[in-house]
Amino acid sequence: PYRRQRQMCIRDSPYTVDDTPWSRIEIVDDATGCPRVVMAAEVHVELCRSLAVTESAEPVWHVSISHDGGIASAVAVLDMRE
């Protein structure tokens, strides 16, 4: 059952790595230099649909970006608030 539910979630998700509209999602700095996520309206709508929340839900992204020499890393966590 768990595997079946997991497969359904994957199939119902709005995007895969191959078809994510990367050009419609940006990471920008705010006035204090903290990174934040900016999504195009249609990307937000599709994200809400895939998570079964209303379009008025407020996405809160927790983003961390780091680098040292030639190594870079980033982590993003999404917290949807209705």
Side-chain angles (χ1 to χ4, degrees), residues 30-53:
D30 68 11
T32 63
C34 293
R36 64 183 185 90
V37 176
V38 177
M39 295 182 295
E42 69 272 11
V43 176
H44 173 79
V45 168
E46 188 64 12
L47 177 66
C48 290
R49 183 204 61 79
S50 71
L51 297 174
V53 296

Side-chain angles (χ1 to χ4, degrees), residues 1-11:
Y2 172 74
R3 183 179 196 129
R4 184 174 184 182
Q5 286 178 334
R6 185 169 181 233
Q7 288 173 346
M8 286 173 40
C9 289
I10 292 170
R11 186 173 57 247

